[in-house]
Amino acid sequence: MRLLQSLITPIELSRNFSKRIALSFLFCFTSMWYANGQDSVRRQKHWAFPDHAIIQFAGGIGYVSVGAGYTARKEKLKLVLLYGYVPESIGGLPIHAATAQLKWMPLKPFRFKNFELQSLVTGLLVNYTFGKQYFAFSPEYYPFNYYGHPTSIHAGILAGSEIYTLPKKNKKIKQWGLYYELVSYDVELVSYFGNTQTLSFKDVLSLGFGIRMRI
Amino acid sequence: MLRFFAAFLLITFGVSCKDLFQYNPNEVRLEEKDQNMNAKNIQKLQALPQRDSFKFIVIGDSQRFYEDLDEFVDNVNGLNDEIAFVLLNGDISDFGLNREFIWINAILKKLKYPYIGVIGNHDMLANGRLIYNKMFGAEDFTFEYSGSKFICLNTNSYEVGHDGSIPDLPWLQQEVNDLAGYKNAFIFSHVPPFDNEFDPSKKNRFFEILGAASHKVRLSIHGHQHKYSLFLPKENELEYLVVSTIYKRNYALITVIDNTYRVEQKFF
């Protein structure tokens, strides 16, 4: 545990450093996308190249979040990495966060006309908020792990649906998808399950909308 | 017609969704109705008739105990006593999150009486301090009622790594010096001065400041330890009261009669 702590705390020491990580993370994907677009000859994509890009509003991960994802297991599994930003005018202070989502689509999509509806998207997510006021382990001046829970990292569950166009192979953006998702974090769930008479499940949900582009 | 119906549906959906939007669990986002609660409640308290004797209630550590706090509110709203105010003595939230503060405030708003919030160590986690400042106001503040002065301050020294900024003893000294015209003074803070988490370099000075003013300062009231206790460190000086957590379903009822007081632990 101590070793883990020593690995994580230096990242939290400098806010600028954290910001730099977030930006390089973003830059990595955009440059990869750009580089891929430069190819005149269509060829097999590098395995690390994401197959879709995302822009999302709200959903507990940022006011606006941008990200990229990978699809596996015949569209049944998705891994999405996002960078979320909340401006000071909305969140009281500027907030930068990174989120990883693992989505599982257990049902077959419904097809109608040129669209498909994926009625159930379930998943898990981990959100990391950058900033020196948040910690993964209680700071050194406390007895070890005094609070027993991190404030920079929150895990959560998600559920939602998505409607998307049928894929077109020869377009730059092969497919457009529109989705919503409901997220609930660990700290919220633990609050809800201890107080089911006073809190309603709606109180611990965060709603988000997003656009997914297959590239 | 159909278009109107669709618009109506969309608007109702939009309105009911308003609370569903959260941009980050650490955001600091409060509506006007959840802001400046201490100032608003002190104004309400000031509007009450002045009395020679009055009662007030102190509760502590409401962190994540929404159901117990809710029952407390129902319980004290049913009291026949004239209660001047209810004071929540720190650890309002458990994780220092915006939503937690909103949930607590929604419950406290049902109180018939004015209520005051004091900052606790858990309220300083993440952006909790900013949220507390926005929802309740300053961390060190005073108010008065019927000839008594109530001095509230932040004593959560551990949260700043004992850097010397908390508690602000010069401020406390200044407020304690200014007791002319008051019959009584009461001190409120979350971490008691005899707790390990109180800045050890400031501990003795804290006792000295209050001890020297014990002709007016009747009682110093704290929380944090989740255990009710009443303690007199020095004969002929003031008593120190620690209120329990709301989770243990009890509160302290303090009756002030002229320049005397009585403390009772009440269960619900």
Side-chain angles (χ1 to χ4, degrees):
Chain A
M1 285 296 261
R2 275 286 181 196
L3 178 72
L4 252 173
Q5 189 179 18
S6 64
L7 283 172
I8 291 172
T9 37
I11 302 175
E12 292 170 353
L13 286 179
S14 151
R15 212 173 167 179
N16 284 335
F17 183 65
S18 315
K19 246 183 224 173
R20 225 178 299 155
I21 291 181
L23 285 174
S24 51
F25 172 71
L26 187 65
F27 177 73
C28 188
F29 285 121
T30 43
S31 57
M32 276 164 88
W33 193 5
Y34 181 73
N36 193 62
Q38 294 290 295
D39 288 348
S40 51
V41 185
R42 201 163 282 280
R43 57 173 191 205
Q44 191 68 36
K45 276 175 189 164
H46 188 266
W47 64 268
F49 189 82
D51 56 37
H52 61 271
I54 272 173
I55 179 158
Q56 186 182 314
F57 165 73
I61 60 168
Y63 184 68
V64 181
S65 306
V66 288
Y70 304 86
T71 308
R73 302 251 162 176
K74 293 181 183 164
E75 308 265 316
K76 280 203 180 302
L77 215 54
K78 275 194 194 111
L79 173 71
V80 188
L81 303 171
L82 297 121
Y83 159 73
Y85 173 65
V86 187
E88 192 177 348
S89 57
I90 305 283
L93 76 167
I95 299 173
H96 300 266
T99 304
Q101 296 178 329
L102 188 65
K103 293 182 174 180
W104 179 49
M105 286 129 285
L107 305 177
K108 268 196 172 168
F110 298 107
R111 183 167 167 189
F112 57 94
K113 292 184 181 167
N114 294 324
F115 297 96
E116 270 187 9
L117 173 75
Q118 182 54 261
S119 56
L120 183 65
V121 179
T122 57
L124 302 169
L125 76 157
V126 179
N127 173 276
Y128 181 88
T129 307
F130 298 99
K132 63 176 188 303
Q133 72 270 49
Y134 317 107
F135 56 75
F137 292 93
S138 309
E140 276 165 26
Y141 45 79
Y142 292 99
F144 179 63
N145 215 9
Y146 177 79
Y147 283 110
H149 59 80
T151 58
S152 57
I153 304 167
H154 293 297
I157 52 168
L158 68 86
S161 311
E162 180 173 348
I163 184 163
Y164 46 84
T165 59
L166 295 176
K168 286 177 186 154
K169 284 218 161 126
N170 47 6
K171 287 264 175 79
K172 174 112 194 170
I173 293 172
K174 298 189 183 78
Q175 186 184 43
W176 289 86
L178 184 70
Y179 66 89
Y180 78 87
E181 65 189 28
L182 290 160
V183 168
S184 191
Y185 284 113
D186 47 7
V187 281
E188 298 175 321
L189 288 168
V190 77
S191 301
Y192 171 73
F193 285 110
N195 299 276
T196 48
Q197 304 287 313
T198 312
L199 298 179
S200 76
F201 194 60
K202 192 173 155 261
D203 289 334
V204 297
L205 293 178
S206 303
L207 176 67
F209 296 100
I211 296 168
R212 187 173 63 91
M213 291 152 282
R214 176 162 232 171
I215 47 181
Chain B
M1 188 60 205
L2 198 67
R3 220 178 280 174
F4 278 114
F5 185 66
F8 171 77
L9 267 185
L10 210 67
I11 289 166
T12 27
F13 180 70
V15 169
S16 62
C17 277
K18 196 184 57 158
D19 295 339
L20 279 176
F21 288 126
Q22 179 178 233
Y23 305 116
N24 183 291
N26 294 308
E27 66 190 10
V28 183
R29 205 162 56 87
L30 298 170
E31 288 178 52
E32 211 288 319
K33 69 177 171 69
D34 288 324
Q35 291 181 21
N36 297 317
M37 297 317 300
N38 281 351
K40 288 174 189 169
N41 280 290
I42 289 168
Q43 210 171 6
K44 269 192 213 167
L45 176 65
Q46 240 83 89
L48 294 179
Q50 303 284 307
R51 296 171 198 279
D52 284 335
S53 73
F54 62 90
K55 292 179 179 187
F56 62 90
I57 287 173
V58 188
I59 53 172
D61 305 74
S62 58
Q63 46 190 111
R64 209 147 40 86
F65 309 129
Y66 304 98
E67 240 145 61
D68 303 295
L69 186 68
D70 205 36
E71 280 181 43
F72 161 79
V73 169
D74 284 348
N75 189 284
V76 296
N77 274 347
L79 292 178
N80 289 323
D81 279 333
E82 290 282 347
I83 308 291
F85 63 88
V86 173
L87 189 139
L88 173 48
N89 214 2
D91 279 2
I92 296 162
S93 68
D94 200 20
F95 308 112
L97 299 179
N98 199 67
R99 275 188 166 173
E100 292 186 287
F101 276 89
I102 292 173
W103 297 334
I104 290 287
N105 199 34
I107 297 170
L108 291 176
K109 271 198 168 159
K110 296 192 284 182
L111 277 168
K112 283 198 303 194
Y113 322 105
Y115 61 91
I116 306 290
V118 170
I119 193 164
N121 58 309
H122 281 258
D123 305 320
M124 291 171 75
L125 288 174
N127 295 319
R129 226 172 151 173
L130 294 175
I131 302 164
Y132 173 87
N133 294 154
K134 202 164 182 180
M135 178 173 278
F136 290 98
E139 293 161 22
D140 300 339
F141 63 99
T142 67
F143 59 98
E144 55 178 83
Y145 177 67
S146 294
S148 289
K149 183 172 178 176
F150 303 93
I151 303 170
C152 308
L153 76 160
N154 182 349
T155 54
N156 312 306
S157 325
Y158 234 116
E159 299 309 302
V160 291
H162 294 319
D163 71 357
S165 63
I166 293 173
D168 187 350
L169 292 185
W171 178 87
L172 178 66
Q173 178 76 71
Q174 198 188 313
E175 291 301 330
V176 163
N177 285 346
D178 182 27
L179 289 179
Y182 295 104
K183 282 187 281 189
N184 311 296
F186 294 90
I187 312 293
F188 298 95
S189 87
H190 181 65
V191 175
F194 38 83
D195 193 279
N196 287 338
E197 293 179 24
F198 194 97
D199 191 337
S201 69
K202 298 197 168 206
K203 190 173 173 170
N204 291 339
R205 188 78 196 108
F206 189 90
F207 282 117
E208 277 168 28
I209 292 171
L210 298 191
S214 56
H215 60 290
K216 288 272 177 77
V217 181
R218 309 277 166 224
L219 192 59
S220 187
I221 306 170
H222 308 277
H224 188 63
Q225 300 184 326
H226 291 209
K227 199 172 167 233
Y228 180 93
S229 66
L230 196 58
F231 172 56
L232 182 68
K234 261 189 192 166
E235 211 52 55
N236 304 322
E237 281 192 7
L238 70 155
E239 277 187 308
Y240 289 78
L241 168 68
V242 178
V243 296
S244 185
T245 160
I246 203 73
Y247 176 65
K248 293 192 179 161
R249 303 171 71 86
N250 67 86
Y251 59 87
L253 175 69
I254 292 123
T255 311
V256 182
I257 305 165
D258 211 19
N259 56 5
T260 62
Y261 69 91
R262 190 174 73 232
V263 184
E264 290 163 89
Q265 185 184 17
K266 294 274 187 187
F267 288 84
F268 61 93

